[in-house]
Amino acid sequence: MARSSASWNVDIGWHAQALCVGEDPELFFPLTETAAATAPARAVCARCPVLIDCRDWAVRHGETDGVWGATTAGQRRALRRAALDG
């Protein structure tokens, strides 16, 4: 993960409720963004009570790697572009 745990404590109050806590981080950082490679992480995200908070945080902070809130880096780039255009 590119971010230090110290930066998490500053602005992520929802983190403690995330279902990914305790999971293998490699699950959320597959080598490719294919549907098959990201499916296991997205399955965890689908059950997570803070999915929207996680996704919104990753979009706002320009997270460029991994699966956050059931989105890939490419999907988050598209969301940022759409927000800028709209």
Side-chain angles (χ1 to χ4, degrees), residues 19 23 27-28 35 37-48 51 67 69-70:
L19 292 182
E23 292 282 344
L27 180 71
F28 297 91
T38 61
R42 288 183 293 112
V44 173
C45 294
R47 301 185 325 268
C48 187
L51 179 147
V67 175

Side-chain angles (χ1 to χ4, degrees), residues 2-18:
R3 305 219 186 273
S4 73
S5 60
S7 69
W8 282 76
N9 294 330
V10 173
D11 58 358
I12 302 184
W14 50 264
H15 180 255
Q17 298 173 17

